[in-house]
Amino acid sequence: GHGRALTFAGYRALGELKGAIARRADQALEVLKASDPEAAAALPRVLRALVTAANDGTATARAAPLDAFAPGSPEARLVTALLAPENRLLVASERDGVGEVRIAHEALLENWPSAREQIAIDRRDLQTRARLETLQRRWQEAGAAERKTALLTSLNLAEGTDLVRRWDIPRESPLGAFVAQSQAADSWRRRRFAVAAGIVAAIFAGIAALASLQWRRAEEQTIIARAAEETQREAQAEIDAARREA
């Protein structure tokens, strides 16, 4: 009984803590909506940078490099506000000499309605990006000989192109550069196929033209032969008639 009461009290305290964190996030966002509405409106884009989703759809926090948020941009201003000591909703750190930022409390993803709703909207895209980033890392680690075959093609390329366009992913970012290189390789393949198809079409057209010419010549020879046979028959008929008269 005593242990169960402590467990219950612990769960209740945890629930209260999660609720307090969510309320603090709501308050921070409301203050920002009044003072810097552009920054507040950048929440979906900032969350996309700081959240990923597994194959089963489970959302988890992830770190993002600070330089992913252009200085002075609405996204950077929102990050600054959420990092502020009075909010502490994000934490900054350094790894391998690179500054990065991440969500301070994983509980925010489920307990803060604004985050939960946005993640629900983006869940499929977050899964797609996670899969594309896995392929991008594989391409990056591949040897020179295997790099071409590790680029995106078909459905993966279509999904990557669509995501980069809709999310406005910078071309200079790792994923943006990967998709751009894949598009360039795909365009080259298509051009090469078009040239090859053109050559094959020209060859078939030449064969068809030659066959048509040969057919016409054969037809002409047949007509000439028939005319000669007719002339020969007429001549023979005249000879036979002359003989009878004689």
PDB file of all heavy atoms in Angstrom, residues 218-230:
ATOM      1  N   ALA A 218       9.837  -2.726-106.497  1.00  0.00           N
ATOM      2  CA  ALA A 218       9.311  -4.052-106.835  1.00  0.00           C
ATOM      3  C   ALA A 218       7.972  -3.920-107.556  1.00  0.00           C
ATOM      4  O   ALA A 218       7.702  -4.652-108.525  1.00  0.00           O
ATOM      5  CB  ALA A 218       9.162  -4.882-105.565  1.00  0.00           C
ATOM      6  N   GLU A 219       7.153  -2.959-107.059  1.00  0.00           N
ATOM      7  CA  GLU A 219       5.847  -2.730-107.681  1.00  0.00           C
ATOM      8  C   GLU A 219       6.019  -2.245-109.125  1.00  0.00           C
ATOM      9  O   GLU A 219       5.306  -2.679-110.038  1.00  0.00           O
ATOM     10  CB  GLU A 219       5.077  -1.693-106.851  1.00  0.00           C
ATOM     11  CG  GLU A 219       3.622  -1.524-107.253  1.00  0.00           C
ATOM     12  CD  GLU A 219       2.757  -2.723-106.880  1.00  0.00           C
ATOM     13  OE1 GLU A 219       3.195  -3.582-106.096  1.00  0.00           O
ATOM     14  OE2 GLU A 219       1.637  -2.801-107.400  1.00  0.00           O
ATOM     15  N   GLU A 220       6.986  -1.329-109.306  1.00  0.00           N
ATOM     16  CA  GLU A 220       7.252  -0.813-110.669  1.00  0.00           C
ATOM     17  C   GLU A 220       7.730  -1.929-111.589  1.00  0.00           C
ATOM     18  O   GLU A 220       7.307  -2.009-112.751  1.00  0.00           O
ATOM     19  CB  GLU A 220       8.314   0.293-110.591  1.00  0.00           C
ATOM     20  CG  GLU A 220       7.798   1.602-109.992  1.00  0.00           C
ATOM     21  CD  GLU A 220       8.925   2.589-109.725  1.00  0.00           C
ATOM     22  OE1 GLU A 220      10.088   2.264-110.026  1.00  0.00           O
ATOM     23  OE2 GLU A 220       8.638   3.671-109.165  1.00  0.00           O
ATOM     24  N   GLN A 221       8.629  -2.791-111.062  1.00  0.00           N
ATOM     25  CA  GLN A 221       9.133  -3.912-111.869  1.00  0.00           C
ATOM     26  C   GLN A 221       7.996  -4.853-112.254  1.00  0.00           C
ATOM     27  O   GLN A 221       7.951  -5.365-113.381  1.00  0.00           O
ATOM     28  CB  GLN A 221      10.201  -4.681-111.059  1.00  0.00           C
ATOM     29  CG  GLN A 221      11.501  -3.921-110.845  1.00  0.00           C
ATOM     30  CD  GLN A 221      12.211  -3.601-112.148  1.00  0.00           C
ATOM     31  OE1 GLN A 221      12.191  -4.394-113.097  1.00  0.00           O
ATOM     32  NE2 GLN A 221      12.815  -2.426-112.211  1.00  0.00           N
ATOM     33  N   THR A 222       7.080  -5.067-111.315  1.00  0.00           N
ATOM     34  CA  THR A 222       5.925  -5.937-111.595  1.00  0.00           C
ATOM     35  C   THR A 222       5.072  -5.336-112.718  1.00  0.00           C
ATOM     36  O   THR A 222       4.626  -6.047-113.638  1.00  0.00           O
ATOM     37  CB  THR A 222       5.081  -6.112-110.319  1.00  0.00           C
ATOM     38  OG1 THR A 222       5.899  -6.667-109.290  1.00  0.00           O
ATOM     39  CG2 THR A 222       3.892  -7.020-110.572  1.00  0.00           C
ATOM     40  N   ILE A 223       4.831  -4.014-112.643  1.00  0.00           N
ATOM     41  CA  ILE A 223       4.018  -3.328-113.669  1.00  0.00           C
ATOM     42  C   ILE A 223       4.694  -3.426-115.024  1.00  0.00           C
ATOM     43  O   ILE A 223       4.053  -3.712-116.058  1.00  0.00           O
ATOM     44  CB  ILE A 223       3.782  -1.861-113.263  1.00  0.00           C
ATOM     45  CG1 ILE A 223       2.869  -1.798-112.032  1.00  0.00           C
ATOM     46  CG2 ILE A 223       3.204  -1.063-114.416  1.00  0.00           C
ATOM     47  CD1 ILE A 223       2.796  -0.443-111.387  1.00  0.00           C
ATOM     48  N   ILE A 224       6.040  -3.185-115.034  1.00  0.00           N
ATOM     49  CA  ILE A 224       6.797  -3.251-116.292  1.00  0.00           C
ATOM     50  C   ILE A 224       6.729  -4.657-116.879  1.00  0.00           C
ATOM     51  O   ILE A 224       6.528  -4.847-118.088  1.00  0.00           O
ATOM     52  CB  ILE A 224       8.268  -2.820-116.060  1.00  0.00           C
ATOM     53  CG1 ILE A 224       8.318  -1.318-115.767  1.00  0.00           C
ATOM     54  CG2 ILE A 224       9.145  -3.159-117.254  1.00  0.00           C
ATOM     55  CD1 ILE A 224       9.660  -0.841-115.226  1.00  0.00           C
ATOM     56  N   ALA A 225       6.892  -5.662-116.004  1.00  0.00           N
ATOM     57  CA  ALA A 225       6.865  -7.059-116.456  1.00  0.00           C
ATOM     58  C   ALA A 225       5.496  -7.399-117.026  1.00  0.00           C
ATOM     59  O   ALA A 225       5.401  -8.069-118.082  1.00  0.00           O
ATOM     60  CB  ALA A 225       7.208  -7.980-115.287  1.00  0.00           C
ATOM     61  N   ARG A 226       4.435  -6.945-116.355  1.00  0.00           N
ATOM     62  CA  ARG A 226       3.073  -7.205-116.856  1.00  0.00           C
ATOM     63  C   ARG A 226       2.852  -6.532-118.214  1.00  0.00           C
ATOM     64  O   ARG A 226       2.222  -7.107-119.122  1.00  0.00           O
ATOM     65  CB  ARG A 226       2.046  -6.711-115.848  1.00  0.00           C
ATOM     66  CG  ARG A 226       1.907  -7.616-114.636  1.00  0.00           C
ATOM     67  CD  ARG A 226       0.976  -7.029-113.637  1.00  0.00           C
ATOM     68  NE  ARG A 226       0.871  -7.843-112.425  1.00  0.00           N
ATOM     69  CZ  ARG A 226       0.309  -7.444-111.305  1.00  0.00           C
ATOM     70  NH1 ARG A 226      -0.200  -6.218-111.234  1.00  0.00           N
ATOM     71  NH2 ARG A 226       0.257  -8.249-110.254  1.00  0.00           N
ATOM     72  N   ALA A 227       3.350  -5.297-118.351  1.00  0.00           N
ATOM     73  CA  ALA A 227       3.202  -4.563-119.627  1.00  0.00           C
ATOM     74  C   ALA A 227       3.947  -5.287-120.740  1.00  0.00           C
ATOM     75  O   ALA A 227       3.451  -5.397-121.874  1.00  0.00           O
ATOM     76  CB  ALA A 227       3.732  -3.134-119.466  1.00  0.00           C
ATOM     77  N   ALA A 228       5.147  -5.803-120.423  1.00  0.00           N
ATOM     78  CA  ALA A 228       5.937  -6.529-121.429  1.00  0.00           C
ATOM     79  C   ALA A 228       5.212  -7.795-121.856  1.00  0.00           C
ATOM     80  O   ALA A 228       5.175  -8.144-123.058  1.00  0.00           O
ATOM     81  CB  ALA A 228       7.309  -6.870-120.855  1.00  0.00           C
ATOM     82  N   GLU A 229       4.648  -8.518-120.868  1.00  0.00           N
ATOM     83  CA  GLU A 229       3.900  -9.744-121.178  1.00  0.00           C
ATOM     84  C   GLU A 229       2.706  -9.436-122.073  1.00  0.00           C
ATOM     85  O   GLU A 229       2.410 -10.165-123.025  1.00  0.00           O
ATOM     86  CB  GLU A 229       3.420 -10.403-119.878  1.00  0.00           C
ATOM     87  CG  GLU A 229       4.514 -11.095-119.092  1.00  0.00           C
ATOM     88  CD  GLU A 229       4.016 -11.627-117.756  1.00  0.00           C
ATOM     89  OE1 GLU A 229       2.777 -11.579-117.535  1.00  0.00           O
ATOM     90  OE2 GLU A 229       4.841 -12.069-116.940  1.00  0.00           O
ATOM     91  N   GLU A 230       2.022  -8.315-121.777  1.00  0.00           N
ATOM     92  CA  GLU A 230       0.848  -7.917-122.571  1.00  0.00           C
ATOM     93  C   GLU A 230       1.257  -7.577-123.999  1.00  0.00           C
ATOM     94  O   GLU A 230       0.599  -7.985-124.965  1.00  0.00           O
ATOM     95  CB  GLU A 230       0.181  -6.707-121.888  1.00  0.00           C
ATOM     96  CG  GLU A 230      -1.126  -6.284-122.533  1.00  0.00           C
ATOM     97  CD  GLU A 230      -2.204  -7.362-122.431  1.00  0.00           C
ATOM     98  OE1 GLU A 230      -2.183  -8.144-121.451  1.00  0.00           O
ATOM     99  OE2 GLU A 230      -3.053  -7.422-123.309  1.00  0.00           O
TER     100      GLU A 230
END
